[in-house]
C-alpha cells in the first residue's frame, strides 16, 4: 500500500503537463577531478536544455539519471548535449568515464522544477507521521476507564510477552537445516570459503590497479559486500555475517588448534579476560568513527582498503592470542558495533526455547563446552540471552546443549528493540550511525565538490575542519538535539518523576529502524548505478587488462540500471523506517511512563524529531 501511495503522490506530478512558456536554456559546464561546475543545474519542466561540456584536466563523461543521456568529453574540446527536460524532479548526473579514485563520487544534480517528487514525498512523510501518531491516539484511552496504572502496565507486559514468546517459528524444526547447523563443519566451511574470497580481495587490493572502479577489492568490498550487509544480511539475517566473517578465522583456529573437531586441550591463548571497564561498545563507537573519518580514501583507494583489512586481521589474531574467545569481535571490531545495533531489527534470533530449563540444568555446556562443541565464543549465556546484539550466531550452543533447548527463531521485525535493558553506549551507536548516514550521503552523493576534496585529504587544514565537523555532528550535535527532544517528551508527558537521561537513552533506540533504512536508502543510490562494475572486475580482478578475461565479462561496460527509479526506492525505505520508528517510540514510551496518556504525549516530540530526520534525508536525496 505504501508503495502505491508513493507511486501516486510522487510519480504522477512528474509527467503532469508543464505550465508556462518553455525556454531554451544553455549551460556551460566545466568538469575537473572530481566535480562539475556548476554542480547544480536548475531548469523548468518543458525547457529545452543545452549543456556545453568542457574538461579542465582529464577525460570525463556525463550520465544523467532517468534521462539516459551519456556523453564522454575530452579536455580542450566542447561537447554538446541537448534534451527536453520533460520529467520533473531532481536527477543526479554522474561522471561516466573513469577519471581517478573519486570518480564514482563525481556527481552533480539536474533539478527540473517544480520539484514535485520531493514535495510529494515531504507531504507524504508529514501525513504518514501524523497518521501513525493519530492512530496511537485513537486507541481506547485506558486512563478514562481505569484510573491508576493497572491497564497501562498490563499493556506493556503483554507487549513484552508478545515480543518474547508468540509468533516464533523454530527453523531447526526443519530436518535438513537442523542437520546442517548441528554439523561441526558448518561454520568452518562458511568461514573457510569467505577467507578464500578474502585472500583474493587482499591480493587485488595490494597488487591490482589503483583505480578503484577497476579493482576487485574496492568493487567487491564497498559495493557488493556492503550492499549485501546493509540491505539483506542485517535487516533479515541478524548477525549472520559474523557466522561467516573471515577476519577472526585465523585467530579462532589458532586458539582452538583445530579447524573442525572439538579438541579437549588447553586453548592456545593467554586467555586474558577483557577489562571490565571496556566491556561495552564505546571502543567500537570510536573505532567506527576513526574508519569513517578516512572513508573517502579507504572507499576509493584499493591499497588503503587492503591495509585496513589486513590490520583488522592482524588485530584479530593478536587479540585471539592475548584474550579469551572472540574478544576481538565482541569489543574491538569497528564493524561489530553497528552490526550489533542493527541486528536487533532482524526477524531471526538464536534463543533458549525454555530459559527455565536452562536455569535448572547445572552443567551449562553452552558456557563450558562439551564433546560436541565449544562454550559460547561470544561469552554469552543462552539461558539469559534476550537480544541479538551480542550473539555472533556461531551455532556452538545449538551443538553443545544436551537438552536440545536452543532454537533458531523466525520472529517479528524489531522485537529486540523492546528489551527493557538499555545502555548509553548503544544509544550513542544509534546517534553515530544515523549521523554518519547523513554525512556520507552529503559528502559522497552530494553536489559539493569542495566537501569531497576536504574528505579526500586534499589539504590538511581542510581535512581537519572536516574531521572536526564529522566528530562534532556525531558526538555532540545529533545527541544534543535529541536530548532537547527527549526533554520536550518529558515536558509534554507531564510526568515529573521520569529522568530525562532515562528517556534520552530509551528513545535513542527508536532511531534504529530509521537509521538502518537511511543506510539502505544510501546504498540504493550507488548499488544500481555501480553494480555493473562487479561483472567486469570479476573477469579481470587486478585490472591489469593483459590477457585476463576469466569469465569473458571483462569488457562489460558501465551500465547504470534503474537510475530513474532510485529516488522512489529511497522514499519507500525512508517512509517505512519512519513508520516503524514512530511505533517503536510509542512502545518505548509505554515502558517509561505509568500512564498510556503520558506515553502518547511524550511520543509527539520524538515523532517530530523522526519526521525531521526523514525530511533531511529526503532533501539530500530528492530536494
Ligand atoms: Cu570524472 Cu570520472
Amino acid at each position: 500500500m505504501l508503495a502505491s501511495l508513493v507511486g501516486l503522490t510522487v510519480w504522477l506530478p512528474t509527467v503532469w503537463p508543464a505550465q508556462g512558456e518553455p525556454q531554451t536554456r544553455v549551460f556551460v559546464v566545466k568538469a575537473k577531478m572530481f566535480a562539475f561546475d556548476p554542480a547544480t543545474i536548475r531548469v523548468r519542466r518543458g525547457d529545452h536544455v543545452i549543456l556545453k561540456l568542457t574538461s579542465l584536466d582529464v577525460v570525463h563523461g556525463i550520465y544523467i539519471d532517468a534521462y539516459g543521456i551519456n556523453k564522454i568529453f575530452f579536455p580542450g574540446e566542447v561537447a554538446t548535449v541537448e534534451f527536453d527536460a520533460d520529467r520533473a524532479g531532481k536527477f543526479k548526473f554522474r561522471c561516466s568515464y573513469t577519471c581517478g579514485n573519486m570518480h564514482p563520487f563525481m556527481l552533480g544534480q539536474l533539478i527540473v522544477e517544480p520539484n514535485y517528487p520531493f514535495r510529494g514525498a515531504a507531504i507524504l512523510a508529514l501525513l504518514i507521521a501524523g497518521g501513525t501518531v493519530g492512530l496511537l491516539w485513537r486507541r481506547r484511552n485506558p486512563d478514562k476507564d481505569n484510573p491508576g496504572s493497572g491497564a497501562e502496565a498490563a499493556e506493556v507486559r503483554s507487549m513484552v510477552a508478545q515480543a518474547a514468546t508468540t509468533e516464533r517459528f523454530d527453523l531447526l524444526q526443519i530436518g535438513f537445516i537442523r542437520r546442517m547447523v548441528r554439523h561441526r563443519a558448518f561454520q568452518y566451511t562458511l568461514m573457510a570459503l569467505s577467507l578464500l574470497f578474502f585472500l583474493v580481495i587482499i591480493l587485488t587490493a595490494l597488487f591490482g590497479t589503483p583505480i578503484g572502479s577497476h579493482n576487485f577489492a574496492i568493487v567487491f568490498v564497498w559495493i557488493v559486500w556492503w550492499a549485501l550487509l546493509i540491505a539483506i544480511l542485517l535487516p533479515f539475517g541478524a548477525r549472520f555475517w559474523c557466522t561467516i566473517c573471515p577476519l577472526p578465522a585465523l585467530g579462532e583456529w589458532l586458539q582452538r588448534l583445530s579447524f573442525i573437531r572439538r579438541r579437549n586441550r588447553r586453548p592456545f591463548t593467554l586467555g586474558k579476560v577483557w577489562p571490565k571497564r571496556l566491556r561495552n561498545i564505546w571502543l567500537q563507537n570510536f573505532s567506527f568513527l576513526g574508519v569513517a573519518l578516512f572513508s573517502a580514501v579507504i572507499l576509493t583507494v584499493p591499497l588503503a582498503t587492503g591495509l585496513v583489512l589486513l590490520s583488522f586481521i592482524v588485530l584479530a589474531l593478536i587479540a585471539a592470542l592475548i584474550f579469551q574467545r572472540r574478544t576481538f569481535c565482541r569489543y574491538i571490531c569497528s564493524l561489530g558495533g553497528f552490526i550489533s545495533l542493527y541486528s536487533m531489527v532482524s526477524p531471526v534470533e538464536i534463543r533458549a526455547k525454555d530459559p527455565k530449563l536452562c536455569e535448572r540444568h547445572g552443567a551449562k555446556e553452552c558456557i563450558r563446552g562439551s564433546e560436541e562443541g565449544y562454550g559460547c565464543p561470544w561469552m554469552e549465556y543462552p539461558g539469559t540471552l534476550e537480544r541479538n546484539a551480542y550473539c555472533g550466531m556461531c551455532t556452538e550452543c545449538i551443538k553443545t546443549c544436551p537438552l536440545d533447548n536452543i532454537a533458531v527463531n523466525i520472529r517479528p521485525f524489531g522485537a529486540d528493540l523492546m528489551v527493557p535493558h538499555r545502555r548509553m553506549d548503544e544509544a550513542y551507536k544509534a546517534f553515530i550511525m544515523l549521523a554518519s548516514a547523513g554525512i556520507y550521503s552529503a559528502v559522497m552523493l552530494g553536489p559539493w565538490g569542495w566537501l569531497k576534496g576536504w574528505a579526500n585529504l586534499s589539504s590538511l587544514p581542510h581535512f581537519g575542519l572536516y574531521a572536526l565537523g564529522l566528530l562534532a555532528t556525531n558526538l555532540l550535535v545529533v545527541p544534543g538535539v535529541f536530548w532537547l527532544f527527549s526533554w520536550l517528551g518529558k515536558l509534554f508527558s507531564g510526568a515529573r518523576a521520569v529522568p530525562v537521561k532515562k528517556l534520552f537513552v530509551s528513545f535513542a533506540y527508536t532511531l534504529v529502524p530509521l537509521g538502518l533504512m537511511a543506510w539502505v536508502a544510501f546504498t540504493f543510490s550507488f548499488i544500481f548505478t555501480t553494480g555493473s562494475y562487479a561483472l567486469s572486475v570479476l573477469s579481470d580482478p587486478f585490472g591489469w587488462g593483459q590477457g585476463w578475461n576469466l569469465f569473458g565479462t571483462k569488457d562489460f561496460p558501465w551500465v547504470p540500471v534503474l537510475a530513474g527509479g532510485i529516488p522512489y526506492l529511497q522514499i519507500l525505505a525512508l517512509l517505512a523506517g519512519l513508520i516503524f520508528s514512530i511505533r517503536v517510540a510509542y512502545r518505548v514510551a509505554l515502558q517509561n511512563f505509568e500512564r498510556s496518556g503520558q506515553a502518547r504525549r511524550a511520543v509527539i516530540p520524538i515523532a517530530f524529531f523522526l519526521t525531521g530526520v526523514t525530511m533531511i534525508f529526503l532533501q539530500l536525496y530528492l530536494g
Side-chain angles (χ1 to χ4, degrees):
M1 205 204 58
L2 187 60
S4 49
L5 216 57
V6 168
L8 265 182
T9 0
V10 182
W11 169 77
L12 199 62
T14 63
V15 290
W16 209 257
Q19 303 142 350
E21 275 303 294
Q23 296 177 340
T24 297
R25 309 280 308 272
V26 183
F27 297 88
V28 176
V29 180
K30 291 178 204 136
K32 72 171 191 222
M33 294 189 283
F34 299 95
F36 293 98
D37 176 30
T40 301
I41 294 173
R42 253 172 226 281
V43 297
R44 289 196 62 83
R45 192 155 44 117
D47 285 353
H48 184 70
V49 183
I50 300 175
L51 302 181
K52 302 222 171 267
L53 304 153
T54 61
S55 165
L56 302 183
D57 44 29
V58 297
V59 185
H60 296 283
I62 190 168
Y63 173 88
I64 307 177
D65 282 7
Y67 281 89
I69 286 159
N70 193 356
K71 181 99 182 167
I72 287 165
F73 50 98
F74 298 84
E77 67 161 46
V78 178
T80 307
V81 161
E82 271 187 62
F83 60 95
D84 289 315
D86 50 6
R87 294 184 62 167
K90 174 162 111 173
F91 307 93
K92 291 232 178 302
F93 51 85
R94 311 159 185 278
C95 181
S96 60
Y97 189 90
T98 306
C99 55
N101 74 317
M102 290 288 278
H103 154 74
F105 303 116
M106 183 167 167
L107 301 164
Q109 54 194 23
L110 166 73
I111 298 176
V112 182
E113 290 185 317
N115 189 350
Y116 285 128
F118 171 60
R119 285 186 215 167
I123 292 168
L124 206 58
L126 285 176
L127 288 177
I128 278 177
T132 312
V133 173
L135 276 180
L136 302 177
W137 276 87
R138 259 195 51 200
R139 287 196 187 173
R140 193 178 56 89
N141 187 345
D143 281 356
K144 272 189 200 143
D145 314 331
N146 186 2
S149 59
E152 298 79 35
E155 195 173 351
V156 177
R157 268 200 305 277
S158 80
M159 267 178 180
V160 173
Q162 189 191 354
T165 57
T166 58
E167 299 172 56
R168 296 292 198 272
F169 173 76
D170 181 5
L171 282 177
L172 298 182
Q173 284 174 11
I174 301 168
F176 107 91
I177 294 186
R178 179 189 170 80
R179 277 191 299 278
M180 188 175 69
V181 170
R182 294 193 72 144
H183 199 287
R184 277 232 57 85
F186 173 68
Q187 193 187 15
Y188 167 77
T189 311
L190 293 173
M191 282 167 79
L193 283 175
S194 67
L195 191 65
L196 208 66
F197 199 69
F198 190 75
L199 195 70
V200 178
I201 284 180
I202 290 288
L203 286 176
T204 50
L206 299 185
F207 304 110
T209 169
I211 298 163
S213 48
H214 291 185
N215 188 299
F216 185 86
I218 291 288
V219 172
F220 271 83
V221 174
W222 300 124
I223 299 174
V224 178
W225 171 79
W226 175 261
L228 199 70
L229 180 72
I230 277 293
I232 297 171
L233 289 181
L234 268 178
F236 300 104
R239 298 198 73 150
F240 181 70
W241 168 252
C242 300
T243 311
I244 67 177
C245 179
L247 295 175
L250 299 177
E252 185 162 83
W253 295 337
L254 196 61
Q255 271 187 349
R256 294 174 175 178
L257 289 172
S258 168
F259 290 114
I260 300 174
R261 274 201 311 137
R262 161 79 157 112
R263 290 184 196 257
N264 231 338
R265 59 163 74 145
R266 237 181 64 78
F268 187 74
T269 166
L270 295 178
K272 293 233 186 293
V273 177
W274 189 247
K276 195 155 191 187
R277 272 191 314 155
L278 294 177
R279 276 182 226 161
N280 47 53
I281 60 170
W282 282 113
L283 194 64
Q284 290 169 312
N285 284 344
F286 292 117
S287 69
F288 176 84
L289 284 175
V291 175
L293 270 182
F294 297 97
S295 54
V297 178
I298 298 172
L299 296 184
T300 55
V301 181
L303 189 63
T305 287
L307 292 178
V308 167
L309 292 177
L310 267 183
S311 69
F312 272 49
I313 239 182
V314 170
L315 259 176
L317 193 62
I318 295 173
L321 291 174
I322 299 175
F323 297 101
Q324 57 171 350
R325 307 187 183 195
R326 290 272 194 119
T327 294
F328 173 79
C329 305
R330 171 112 196 218
Y331 299 115
I332 303 171
C333 174
S334 14
L335 301 171
F338 80 81
I339 293 183
S340 70
L341 184 79
Y342 288 145
S343 71
M344 296 201 276
V345 173
S346 168
V348 182
E349 63 179 16
I350 296 184
R351 293 290 187 282
K353 286 179 199 162
D354 177 7
K356 290 203 187 74
L357 192 58
C358 299
E359 224 173 275
R360 287 199 300 273
H361 177 70
K364 306 271 188 273
E365 288 90 345
C366 52
I367 301 176
R368 287 189 211 136
S370 72
E371 294 275 288
E372 318 298 325
Y374 295 88
C376 179
W378 288 72
M379 297 158 285
E380 283 284 337
Y381 168 44
T384 54
L385 190 66
E386 53 178 17
R387 54 202 186 145
N388 285 347
Y390 307 105
C391 165
M393 304 180 88
C394 66
T395 67
E396 289 297 330
C397 58
I398 299 171
K399 299 170 174 93
T400 53
C401 180
L403 305 173
D404 199 10
N405 195 28
I406 305 285
V408 180
N409 290 322
I410 298 291
R411 61 168 201 187
F413 278 98
D416 288 349
L417 296 172
M418 295 318 300
V419 167
H421 178 206
R422 306 195 182 276
R423 295 164 35 171
M424 184 65 96
D425 58 337
E426 292 179 349
Y428 253 83
K429 186 86 242 175
F431 298 132
I432 290 173
M433 292 315 290
L434 187 70
S436 301
I439 292 174
Y440 271 47
S441 302
V443 175
M444 311 276 177
L445 308 171
W448 305 287
W450 55 270
L451 196 55
K452 287 179 223 285
W454 287 19
N456 197 26
L457 281 161
S458 59
S459 84
L460 221 49
H462 282 150
F463 178 74
L465 274 176
Y466 166 76
L468 217 63
L470 185 138
L471 293 176
T473 311
N474 276 285
L475 299 172
L476 298 174
V477 179
V478 173
V481 172
F482 196 73
W483 184 281
L484 187 74
F485 279 87
S486 305
W487 176 80
L488 282 174
K490 176 179 169 164
L491 198 73
F492 275 47
S493 76
R496 300 248 170 82
V498 184
V500 181
K501 188 178 166 189
K502 185 165 175 249
L503 291 180
F504 172 74
V505 174
S506 306
F507 278 132
Y509 288 74
T510 64
L511 303 177
V512 172
L514 185 58
L516 178 58
M517 289 323 257
W519 278 103
V520 169
F522 169 73
T523 305
F524 281 157
S525 63
F526 63 82
I527 183 66
F528 298 110
T529 50
T530 58
S532 60
Y533 290 144
L535 281 172
S536 59
V537 298
L538 206 56
S539 282
D540 184 15
F542 291 91
W544 287 334
Q546 300 150 337
W548 285 76
N549 200 350
L550 300 175
F551 306 99
T553 55
K554 188 184 90 170
D555 298 315
F556 194 86
W558 174 69
V559 184
V561 270
L562 218 80
I566 293 168
Y568 304 101
L569 290 173
Q570 290 172 322
I571 296 171
L572 213 58
L574 289 168
L575 294 185
L578 178 64
I579 297 175
F580 198 161
S581 279
I582 292 177
R583 292 173 55 98
V584 170
Y586 177 56
R587 292 170 163 212
V588 170
L590 279 175
Q591 285 178 332
N592 281 280
F593 295 100
E594 282 192 348
R595 290 159 172 266
S596 58
Q598 295 170 331
R600 270 194 282 267
R601 290 193 296 274
V603 163
I604 295 172
I606 302 299
F608 200 81
F609 179 89
L610 294 167
T611 313
V613 168
T614 308
M615 291 294 184
I616 291 175
F617 280 100
L618 286 175
Q619 167 71 37
L620 279 171
Y621 295 135
L622 286 108

